Amino acid sequence: MPIPEIAIKTIGDLSREVRALAPIEKWLFRGQTDACWDLAPSVHRGYTAQQERYLTNEFRVRARSRHFSCPSSDDYPGWLALMQHYGLPTRLLDWTYSPLTAAFFSVHPDYVPPRQSIDRDACIWALDGRKLNESQGFEPLIFPLDASSYEPLVVPAFKNRDELDTVGVAMAIEHDPRIQLQQGAFTIHSSRTPINLIKGADEWLRRLIVRSEDIQGFFEELTALGIRKFTLFPDLSALTSELKSMHRPGDGCH
């Protein structure tokens, strides 16, 4: 069956639809600036399995001279989370327990890729993580990324091991203030099938669509409510980005 899809125009609409998800504590959210995109991690967008292993192992070799608190050599989940945090293509896909955070990423202009159509709709995905885990043969619970049950999903990113051809949902390990503020979680993709195309996805996925003509107003509502870049990313680069978006050349008197 097709995944249920609902158009929303305002934060009030988002709140109403989130409250309709029951029980709400089971649901995770992800914002994407294009509603046509599948739910696939970055390393599955054109990279081969061999390239993935090259990326992860090269990163491990070279990271220690650049980062003061690297994971231990055999802490594969820790390495994968660190790589994801710093933008390396991985088999992890970011989710959040906060629908407002997901909404922020779906409509903020900084996350629109170059040359992306201005007529595209944005999307906030809702995922019942426990149901997804159960459908993939795991317990109907969400464990931390370093749980032993997820090891077969993680290790093939580093070593030439057979894939389980499954997806798991894991809690993020809060090694960084950003993860805590963004209320993060991950799906771990041992399968190359996007999770919205997995059979039975309509049981644990929902799509909330922000139409192109409503994106600017939706973004302005989030800003008015204090959902801004520097509140989610507590660092100087985010503060700089936020100030530049608020004060553009030519604004005001000189």
Side-chain angles (χ1 to χ4, degrees), residues 95-190:
W95 294 80
T96 173
Y97 285 95
S98 167
L100 288 176
T101 299
F104 170 89
F105 285 110
S106 74
V107 298
H108 197 294
D110 281 2
Y111 300 100
V112 178
R115 298 180 297 278
Q116 189 177 27
S117 171
I118 61 173
D119 296 324
R120 45 83 198 158
D121 299 331
C123 180
I124 302 164
W125 289 94
L127 167 68
D128 185 333
R130 299 182 190 182
K131 276 190 177 181
L132 172 57
N133 271 351
E134 187 174 29
S135 76
Q136 299 293 293
F138 299 103
E139 292 185 66
L141 301 167
I142 300 177
F143 295 110
L145 182 60
D146 58 359
S148 59
S149 56
Y150 296 140
E151 184 175 339
L153 304 182
V154 171
V155 172
F158 299 86
K159 297 183 177 183
N160 188 8
R161 298 287 189 271
D162 291 339
E163 297 280 8
L164 288 185
D165 198 31
T166 57
V167 179
V169 185
M171 289 187 290
I173 303 166
E174 293 183 0
H175 60 77
D176 183 274
R178 286 187 179 188
I179 294 176
Q180 183 181 19
L181 287 170
Q182 295 166 27
Q183 302 179 51
F186 300 117
T187 42
I188 320 165
H189 295 247
S190 177

Side-chain angles (χ1 to χ4, degrees), residues 1 21 31 33 93 99 109 114 126 142 154 168 184 193 200 249:
M1 292 181 62
L21 300 172
T33 59
L93 195 63
I142 300 177
V154 171
T193 302

Side-chain angles (χ1 to χ4, degrees), residues 30 39-41 45 84 91-95 185-187 189:
R30 176 176 172 80
L39 288 169
R45 301 171 201 163
Q84 179 78 356
R91 60 178 55 200
L92 300 180
L93 195 63
D94 291 305
W95 294 80
F186 300 117
T187 42
H189 295 247

Side-chain angles (χ1 to χ4, degrees), residues 22-64:
I24 184 57
E25 68 272 7
K26 289 185 177 183
W27 291 83
L28 301 169
F29 302 90
R30 176 176 172 80
Q32 297 190 162
T33 59
D34 194 325
C36 293
W37 289 345
D38 289 325
L39 288 169
S42 55
V43 86
H44 288 174
R45 301 171 201 163
Y47 292 91
T48 67
Q50 185 179 18
Q51 286 177 309
E52 179 185 20
R53 292 192 296 273
Y54 177 85
L55 286 168
T56 56
N57 288 298
E58 182 80 359
F59 185 98
R60 283 201 302 160
V61 168
R62 302 179 64 180
R64 294 191 186 282

Side-chain angles (χ1 to χ4, degrees), residues 71-82:
S72 61
S73 295
D74 59 352
D75 180 7
Y76 298 119
W79 278 110
L80 211 56
L82 186 66

